[in-house]
Amino acid sequence: MSEIIYPRSARETMSGWVYLPRFIDKIRLHLAGKLHADYQENFTKGFDGAWLKAAGVTAEQMIEVVKNSVTDGQVSDWVAKNIKKSDAEKAAFRDHVFKHGTQGGEVGERLKMRKKAAGIENRDDIQCFIDYMDVDEKRRP
């Protein structure tokens, strides 16, 4: 599989959750056999896994919900009915997503490594992994 179909930006929200639309896209691509190899190693891990943990659902559960839906609205309805998390819990997850890579340490070093490998190590506007993903997936220059 050579053509990459990019999932939505992690910045997009659904049912009060950042990242959820991206995860739904990745699940739909996976189910259709079109999830590019670049995404397969971390499918249901990384940010996907962090969302699952924050939401309190399993990967299998979420895959089944998406599999049995046609529209994002159906998934959103299921999330609203079945995932009972406070606005504060959703905000904590949002903060985790948007700060991932800014704290230094091992994660910060991994972001620096990725930026260097992509030839964008001097881009000070890329502060976290979400910034990097948006550049890598050609959503911003």
Side-chain angles (χ1 to χ4, degrees), residues 57-75:
V57 296
T58 66
E60 294 78 17
Q61 221 177 350
M62 199 62 200
I63 291 168
E64 198 61 27
V65 167
V66 174
K67 181 179 180 180
N68 292 317
S69 69
V70 175
T71 67
D72 284 350
Q74 291 171 305
V75 178

Side-chain angles (χ1 to χ4, degrees), residues 1 27-36 40:
M1 181 182 331
I27 293 170
R28 290 196 195 287
L29 289 166
H30 166 76
L31 291 169
K34 295 181 179 183
L35 184 64
H36 194 272
Q40 290 179 16

Side-chain angles (χ1 to χ4, degrees), residues 22 28 39 55 78 80 95-96 109 115 118 121 128-129:
R22 179 181 181 84
R28 290 196 195 287
Y39 298 97
W78 185 91
D95 290 347
H96 165 73
E109 289 303 313
K115 286 171 61 174
E121 65 268 23
C128 66
F129 270 97

Side-chain angles (χ1 to χ4, degrees), residues 36-103:
H36 194 272
D38 289 355
Y39 298 97
Q40 290 179 16
E41 182 179 340
N42 284 323
F43 181 61
T44 72
K45 301 174 189 120
F47 284 122
D48 298 354
W51 185 86
L52 291 164
K53 182 177 178 182
V57 296
T58 66
E60 294 78 17
Q61 221 177 350
M62 199 62 200
I63 291 168
E64 198 61 27
V65 167
V66 174
K67 181 179 180 180
N68 292 317
S69 69
V70 175
T71 67
D72 284 350
Q74 291 171 305
V75 178
S76 182
D77 290 347
W78 185 91
V79 168
K81 181 180 177 185
N82 294 284
I83 299 177
K84 302 297 182 190
K85 298 295 177 177
S86 68
D87 288 344
E89 290 168 305
K90 293 175 185 179
F93 176 72
R94 182 188 64 238
D95 290 347
H96 165 73
V97 168
F98 290 121
K99 291 180 180 175
H100 197 70
T102 64
Q103 314 92 320

